[in-house]
Amino acid sequence: MKGIDTMYRKSKKKKKFIIIIIVIIVAFFILFYSLSSNRKLTVLESFFKDVATIVMKGVMLPFTSLNADKDTNLTESYVIQKNLNVHLEEEIEQLRDTLDLNQTLTGYDIVNATVITRNRSYWYQTLTIDKGSNDGLKKNMVAITKDGLIGKIQNVTNYSSEIKLITANDVNNKISVSIATTTGETTAILSGYNKENNLVLISGVDSRVDINKGDIVTTSGLGGMFPRGIYIGEVEQVTNDKYGLSKTLGVKTTQNFNNIHYVTVLREEKQ
């Protein structure tokens, strides 16, 4: 009876220990998802985000390690992963695109990163990647994919960074853009996102400028925040304001903002 009682107490302690660990991990994740504002993170918040990032990367390690070997053929790797998660096919395709993108960005020092979290309450506002200040990333650095601009870094911890997406409807998230028309270039402001039509909104276009469907929109480089010439999309809709003084454009992007797994951060332009 004594031996049974001892075993029972040990089993009970083990269960309590497991429950405590689970509660701590859940608390970390809840805190991680809740930190989605424009304010600067406190030291304590940065610490918890770093811990949560490390935990999440540890959980995903068995899956990501399948592609860790540079000599592994990605097609063969997909065959292995297919039984684990059918959705990884899209991720592998994005990874290929990221590697191809690296070949075209020879003028920049770049950092490739994996998206680790997206807060559903702020789905079109931010996403978090697994690279931070330890990788040389800083606030306001530009994030892109092969389909063009997706946003800029707004918060950085040692091991993670939070990217403010161009789809964020934020008055502080205005980006100077250039529209290539048949008569030349004109500048305007990327100022929002229409979720219903999946169109990026461009405002402040002079009503006298002839804008047509299919005109290309890129970053203008004005203000020094974003490099010039990063692709955003093509004009899909043109609307005049009620006073006839300016136009608002609806721009269609090729980026699927619901499905971003890998991003490339432009750390700095090479000298």
Side-chain angles (χ1 to χ4, degrees):
M1 291 294 291
K2 187 176 181 180
I4 294 175
D5 186 56
T6 301
M7 290 177 62
Y8 174 76
R9 285 199 300 269
K10 287 183 178 180
S11 176
K12 193 173 181 180
K13 288 181 179 180
K14 186 176 180 180
K15 288 181 180 178
K16 286 183 178 180
F17 177 75
I18 293 174
I19 292 173
I20 291 172
I21 294 298
I22 292 174
V23 169
I24 292 174
I25 292 175
V26 170
F28 281 156
F29 281 114
I30 291 174
L31 180 59
F32 195 99
Y33 278 105
S34 68
L35 302 175
S36 298
S37 64
N38 288 324
R39 63 185 174 79
K40 184 177 180 180
L41 299 179
T42 66
V43 174
L44 184 60
E45 289 172 337
S46 295
F47 170 77
F48 279 123
K49 288 200 82 169
D50 282 339
V51 172
T53 299
I54 293 171
V55 171
M56 293 181 71
K57 290 179 73 173
V59 171
M60 293 302 297
L61 185 60
F63 301 96
T64 57
S65 62
L66 290 173
N67 274 330
D69 188 349
K70 295 182 179 179
D71 297 326
T72 300
N73 182 282
L74 285 176
T75 303
E76 294 176 355
S77 177
Y78 167 61
V79 172
I80 297 172
Q81 296 179 68
K82 185 177 180 181
N83 294 327
L84 298 175
N85 189 337
V86 294
H87 298 295
L88 287 181
E89 182 178 13
E90 294 178 356
E91 294 191 27
I92 292 174
E93 186 61 33
Q94 286 194 26
L95 181 57
R96 287 196 188 102
D97 292 335
T98 300
L99 295 175
D100 290 339
L101 179 63
N102 292 353
Q103 304 303 314
T104 66
L105 295 172
T106 55
Y108 287 90
D109 184 13
I110 62 175
V111 175
N112 294 323
T114 302
V115 176
I116 53 175
T117 63
R118 290 188 74 169
N119 189 327
R120 291 196 173 277
S121 298
Y122 300 90
W123 190 258
Y124 292 101
Q125 306 288 321
T126 63
L127 56 77
T128 302
I129 57 176
D130 65 345
K131 298 293 174 63
S133 59
N134 283 0
D135 304 285
L137 301 192
K138 297 178 182 178
K139 185 175 180 179
N140 292 328
M141 285 183 172
V142 178
I144 65 174
T145 70
K146 75 171 183 68
D147 294 311
L149 180 69
I150 64 166
K152 66 178 181 179
I153 294 177
Q154 75 166 5
N155 279 314
V156 183
T157 69
N158 290 332
Y159 301 105
S160 69
S161 299
E162 188 176 71
I163 295 174
K164 172 63 72 67
L165 299 172
I166 63 173
T167 53
N169 287 308
D170 185 340
V171 294
N172 298 314
N173 197 42
K174 298 184 183 298
I175 300 169
S176 178
V177 301
S178 176
I179 304 116
T181 71
T182 54
T183 57
E185 289 189 357
T186 186
T187 57
I189 299 295
L190 190 158
S191 57
Y193 181 67
N194 186 324
K195 294 180 183 178
E196 294 180 0
N197 299 324
N198 295 320
L199 297 176
V200 174
L201 302 178
I202 307 294
S203 61
V205 182
D206 191 324
S207 61
R208 296 169 295 182
V209 178
D210 185 23
I211 304 291
N212 298 300
K213 183 176 180 179
D215 286 348
I216 302 298
V217 180
T218 62
T219 54
S220 70
L222 297 177
M225 183 71 71
F226 294 87
R228 175 179 170 79
I230 299 177
Y231 180 80
I232 296 174
E234 296 183 3
V235 175
E236 179 74 14
Q237 295 178 353
V238 181
T239 306
N240 292 300
D241 72 2
K242 61 181 180 180
Y243 302 107
L245 299 176
S246 65
K247 299 176 180 179
T248 297
L249 311 180
V251 175
K252 183 178 181 180
T253 73
T254 54
Q255 175 67 59
N256 181 356
F257 284 92
N258 287 313
N259 186 29
I260 303 175
H261 299 293
Y262 301 99
V263 305
T264 297
V265 178
L266 304 184
R267 195 159 58 178
E268 59 186 11
E269 193 168 3
K270 292 180 180 178
Q271 302 298 322

